[in-house]
Amino acid sequence: MQIPGLAQTSWLDDRVPEMLWAALLIAGLGRERALELFRIVAVEARKLAAREVHGDATLSGFAELPDDAREQVLHVFQERTSAQRALRPLLLFDALPSRDTWVRALACDPLPEDWSLLADAVLSVLDHQSQEATDCRWARVMFTLLGGRLHIPAEMGEEFLRYPDVDLRKVRPSVRALEGSFALMPDEAKSPWPVQFWAQCYRDTRCAPLSIAPPARAPLAGTSTNQAAVVRSELVAHSVATRSSTTVDARHEAVFGIAAYVLSVLDDLLRISNSTSVLGRTGLRSILEAYLTLKYLVHKDEPELWLAYRNYGSGQAKLAFLKLDELEGEAPISINVQTLERLANEDRWMEFVPINVGHWEKSNLRQMSEAAGVKGEYDRFYDWTSAFVHANWAAVRNAEYDVCANPLHRLHRILRSETRAQEDVVPDACRLTDLLLSVVEQAYPGFSVRVSLPPSV
Ligand SMILES: [Zn+2]
């Protein structure tokens, strides 16, 4: 990164179009015959070097050779009908460097089916470490080596000559490293060919969206709307049974309120198609936050903390109210400013309660889950649900794009006509809800009902 003038090039973007001739020969002739031809082409480089002519075995590199030198190299293909046929797809391209020489050397016209031959060849070298890609890169290294432009230790040169009948674990990485280093030569003028190649591929061939659906799974333990309703009514009954007076009870109201809130989110997730939607992930996140918060509160079980939870919420309502109140008639339609005002002022008496437990903020959720001994649940669910809540690229990419399976389109992304169904969140939501219900039971014993049903029900 610190050396000036180094060009960053990519195998797929820049070098695949340049080494297309080699990829086409492997795809068309088979590996053995293609490697043989690569050697013959490299020998031409040695002959040229004797005349002080040096070049690169790329399509742009061939084009930069003097005319007679280029004719000499391409003559290797001109003499072989099978090579001419294998290389025919090159002629599909208007911008092929030194197209005229190629037309003479290949002596044939491209056919429509050449697009699929081309696609097969490109597919085999998309991965820069595939055997075919390594063979292409070896062809380039050999041309440079025999052309006298590259000086390496004799032992290494010997191994390159004997490729692929050598210890490939050792030689393959050297081939890749050397070929990769050619791209870093600062004097390499950047040829327009790679950009032109991909542009014509995109212009002349169709997209093939490849949709990756979540793997089909056997139904996991979940719940039913009926069971969720049973739990809700039991929860209400238990709330009444454990309430002793009409005085403000921050603990009781938080425990039962949070549990009811979670049941309501779960109920939403049970509606058709919600559980596989983007909102399904944000629903799961709400359940997670509710669980971690309640677990922490019950774990500490300090009167000041119950009040802090409550006061923080009222404070947030007050903050929202003050901001929106200034907007007068322009407040969001979905927010009732009067409701906010009422909520902010409902616990006015709490202004007189001394509270010294620090901030009650979302950023504390990790520490809270640690303190309550449930960091495992936090780690399980927090990060990926965050991606959806915050519209991170990974979530956006996963939900809204497919990959194009046409190799001539470089695995680009295609916007989907409808959002991809994600994995079902209901089993996880049920699990977290049941964990939360056990916290309710811990705080107010005698509450054993849960939402999860066995898979067979
Ligand atoms: Zn495409």
Side-chain angles (χ1 to χ4, degrees), residues 207-208 404 409 412 414:
C207 280
C404 177
H409 288 191
H412 73 124
I414 305 173

Side-chain angles (χ1 to χ4, degrees), residues 29 34 74 99 122 131 166 186 232 298 302 340 374 383 389:
L29 304 180
L74 299 198
R99 197 169 191 285
V122 170
Q131 178 181 283
V166 282
R232 175 76 183 218
V298 170
E302 293 162 2
L340 282 186
V374 287
D383 297 310
V389 171

Side-chain angles (χ1 to χ4, degrees), residues 375-393:
K375 174 84 174 0
E377 299 301 334
Y378 174 90
D379 287 338
R380 246 192 206 100
F381 295 110
Y382 193 82
D383 297 310
W384 190 229
T385 55
S386 280
F388 286 86
V389 171
H390 301 301
N392 284 357
W393 168 244

Side-chain angles (χ1 to χ4, degrees), residues 237-444:
H238 196 51
S239 155
V240 172
T242 51
R243 164 141 231 162
S244 48
S245 83
T246 54
T247 188
V248 167
D249 185 341
R251 182 180 191 265
H252 190 273
E253 288 176 10
V255 169
F256 286 94
I258 291 173
Y261 189 86
V262 162
L263 288 174
S264 146
V265 174
L266 180 63
D267 211 37
D268 286 343
L269 293 179
L270 292 174
R271 284 164 218 250
I272 303 282
S273 83
N274 275 359
S275 70
T276 54
S277 70
V278 167
L279 279 181
R281 271 73 322 241
T282 66
L284 184 64
R285 170 57 167 269
S286 294
I287 293 178
L288 174 72
E289 296 213 11
Y291 167 62
L292 297 176
T293 301
L294 189 65
K295 181 76 186 173
Y296 176 76
L297 287 168
V298 170
H299 173 76
K300 293 280 184 185
D301 211 4
E302 293 162 2
E304 297 80 13
L305 209 55
W306 291 108
L307 288 175
Y309 164 75
R310 195 172 170 112
N311 204 21
Y312 174 76
S314 304
Q316 290 300 101
K318 185 169 182 177
L319 196 67
F321 166 72
L322 292 174
K323 280 185 193 165
L324 297 179
D325 199 36
E326 285 173 15
L327 296 177
E328 294 181 353
E330 290 166 41
I333 292 164
S334 63
I335 302 176
N336 184 326
V337 179
Q338 280 73 45
T339 304
L340 282 186
E341 185 176 20
R342 192 164 44 72
L343 290 172
N345 290 307
E346 187 174 61
D347 285 350
R348 193 185 287 278
W349 53 271
M350 254 200 275
E351 286 169 14
F352 306 104
V353 177
I355 295 167
N356 289 309
V357 289
H359 294 288
W360 187 276
E361 288 174 350
K362 250 195 304 195
S363 60
N364 279 341
L365 207 61
R366 190 173 59 81
Q367 288 104 302
M368 282 161 58
S369 66
E370 255 165 20
V374 287
K375 174 84 174 0
E377 299 301 334
Y378 174 90
D379 287 338
R380 246 192 206 100
F381 295 110
Y382 193 82
D383 297 310
W384 190 229
T385 55
S386 280
F388 286 86
V389 171
H390 301 301
N392 284 357
W393 168 244
V396 169
R397 157 72 184 80
N398 188 44
E400 308 302 346
Y401 284 95
D402 279 334
V403 166
C404 177
N406 177 350
L408 301 179
H409 288 191
R410 280 187 278 185
L411 307 176
H412 73 124
R413 286 143 299 279
I414 305 173
L415 195 63
R416 293 171 58 94
S417 53
E418 50 188 50
T419 299
R420 182 198 319 282
Q422 306 287 314
E423 280 76 2
D424 189 343
V425 294
V426 165
D428 290 334
C430 287
R431 193 168 146 267
L432 286 174
T433 303
D434 282 347
L435 287 171
L436 180 133
L437 293 175
S438 68
V439 178
V440 173
E441 188 178 19
Q442 189 187 339
Y444 294 96

Side-chain angles (χ1 to χ4, degrees), residues 222-235 263 266-267 270 430 433-434 437 447-454 457:
T223 190
S224 62
T225 45
N226 197 28
Q227 179 65 11
V230 167
V231 174
R232 175 76 183 218
S233 95
E234 295 266 332
L235 184 78
L263 288 174
L266 180 63
D267 211 37
L270 292 174
C430 287
T433 303
D434 282 347
L437 293 175
F447 184 74
S448 59
V449 67
R450 300 290 181 268
V451 293
S452 289
L453 295 168
V457 175

